[in-house]
Amino acid sequence: MDIRYSTGKEPFKRMTTDELRNEFLITGIFKKDDVSCVYSHVDRIVVMGCMPVNEEVSADKGIDTWKNFGAHFLLERREMGVINIAEAGTVKVDGKEYPMNHFDCIYIPMGTKEVTFRSADPKAPAKFYIITVPAHKPCPITHIPYEKAIHKHLGSQATSNERTINQYIHPDVLETCQLSMGLTHLEEGSVWNTMPVHTHERRMEVYFYFDMKDDNVVFHFMGEPTETRHIVMHNDEAVINPSWSIHAGCGTSNYTFIWAMCGENRAYDDQDWINTQDIR
């Protein structure tokens, strides 16, 4: 498990490119028949990835749950969200199987003892992107196929941000303790996300960028509104955004990203908007 400690506003201003990447960038998320795991002390969010090929892989594979979480099993006091970004697979939750097709999601509650992942075809494996955060009570397990998410089409070609926001783990869809999670897809010809920018002091957020064509990249902007920096993101990479930081991106082509939030509340519109002309 890769553990990242929280960085404040002042140290952030003096960080080099390598220091920024080492602190906030998450790479190597999908490994054959294995689970990757990055634990951030920013609201104690954990970012995970699993690509089962020839095996059925347990969510806690290689994790010392007592050492890392002080728990007897991974979700003893945590909740989990999973989105499959690739081919068909299955998530098994305490013995019950849930089919996970492309862009399907599942919310798994606190108290779940066993979660495993399997691909339908080893030649076309699933890729499960996973977020887990602290929880205080069990909520109902909910399987959310892509068709049952809330789809909001926003933006325009004129502003290079025509996109569809797909809300899965969202207050209008289901109950959770603090986790919110969804997926945004940009249309061809659109490259900007989350502009105008905002912060939300009461919640942090992780962005996971994927579906980038060829050798395209996304320039992810973060930092205080008057002290911005950028991190160059490649395909299948995630970035940790503290609550005091903006989070926006501009790509060399269109792309898709998953957003996941946790913190004091689940109010999706609890955002402090920044005037674009005030950004530095």
Side-chain angles (χ1 to χ4, degrees):
M1 176 181 288
D2 181 3
I3 299 178
R4 310 284 181 92
Y5 293 93
S6 180
T7 297
K9 299 177 182 179
E10 293 306 315
F12 179 87
K13 297 175 183 179
R14 300 185 293 271
M15 295 177 79
T16 66
T17 296
D18 284 344
E19 288 171 336
L20 285 171
R21 294 176 69 84
N22 289 336
E23 181 68 21
F24 299 104
L25 180 64
I26 301 174
T27 63
I29 293 175
F30 299 109
K31 301 175 182 177
K32 178 181 176 181
D33 291 326
D34 204 355
V35 173
S36 68
C37 189
V38 174
Y39 185 118
S40 171
H41 278 252
V42 181
D43 284 319
R44 297 192 177 274
I45 196 168
V46 176
V47 180
M48 306 170 68
C50 181
M51 185 175 69
V53 179
N54 299 310
E55 302 175 10
E56 184 172 341
V57 181
S58 175
D60 59 2
K61 182 177 180 180
I63 298 174
D64 186 334
T65 52
W66 184 257
K67 176 183 178 182
N68 296 123
F69 301 103
H72 297 92
F73 52 93
L74 179 60
L75 298 184
E76 184 176 11
R77 295 189 301 274
R78 285 179 161 267
E79 58 189 357
M80 176 181 283
V82 181
I83 296 178
N84 178 18
I85 68 165
E87 304 304 321
T90 300
V91 176
K92 185 160 64 175
V93 182
D94 282 345
K96 183 174 180 179
E97 295 189 347
Y98 296 86
M100 294 283 288
N101 295 315
H102 184 62
F103 285 178
D104 285 358
C105 176
I106 187 168
Y107 167 77
I108 303 172
M110 165 186 157
T112 301
K113 291 186 176 180
E114 185 179 62
V115 180
T116 61
F117 305 98
R118 187 176 71 247
S119 292
D121 182 358
K123 296 180 180 179
K127 292 165 72 174
F128 297 102
Y129 179 71
I130 307 157
I131 296 288
T132 173
V133 302
H136 62 271
K137 69 173 184 178
C139 300
I141 186 170
T142 307
H143 179 229
I144 312 140
Y146 175 76
E147 295 76 15
K148 292 187 177 181
I150 296 175
H151 309 288
K152 293 189 173 182
H153 190 78
L154 301 172
S156 69
Q157 286 290 317
T159 51
S160 302
N161 69 345
E162 184 181 2
R163 66 203 187 278
T164 300
I165 300 175
N166 305 283
Q167 298 170 335
Y168 293 93
I169 301 175
H170 184 277
D172 293 338
V173 179
L174 75 162
E175 179 186 11
T176 71
C177 292
Q178 62 166 317
L179 177 63
S180 296
M181 194 171 179
L183 179 153
T184 299
H185 172 73
L186 275 70
E187 299 298 330
E188 186 173 352
S190 289
V191 293
W192 277 102
N193 76 69
T194 325
M195 182 63 70
V197 299
H198 63 265
T199 61
H200 25 75
E201 190 67 28
R202 293 149 295 276
R203 294 174 295 163
M204 65 84 66
E205 191 160 9
V206 173
Y207 275 13
F208 166 67
Y209 291 99
F210 66 105
D211 277 356
M212 294 186 196
K213 302 179 181 71
D214 304 321
D215 59 350
N216 286 290
V217 299
V218 171
F219 291 82
H220 179 82
F221 299 97
M222 59 185 302
E224 293 182 89
T226 56
E227 286 282 350
T228 62
R229 305 289 186 273
H230 73 266
I231 295 178
V232 178
M233 309 287 301
H234 297 270
N235 196 44
D236 285 359
E237 294 183 344
V239 59
I240 301 165
N241 299 277
S243 60
W244 47 264
S245 174
I246 66 167
H247 32 281
C250 185
T252 54
S253 183
N254 62 320
Y255 50 89
T256 306
F257 69 100
I258 292 173
W259 41 268
M261 293 181 281
C262 67
E264 294 293 341
N265 63 44
R266 296 184 62 231
Y268 185 78
D269 293 328
D270 180 13
Q271 300 167 350
D272 300 316
W273 294 98
I274 312 298
N275 188 318
T276 302
Q277 293 184 346
D278 293 333
I279 301 172
R280 299 291 184 268

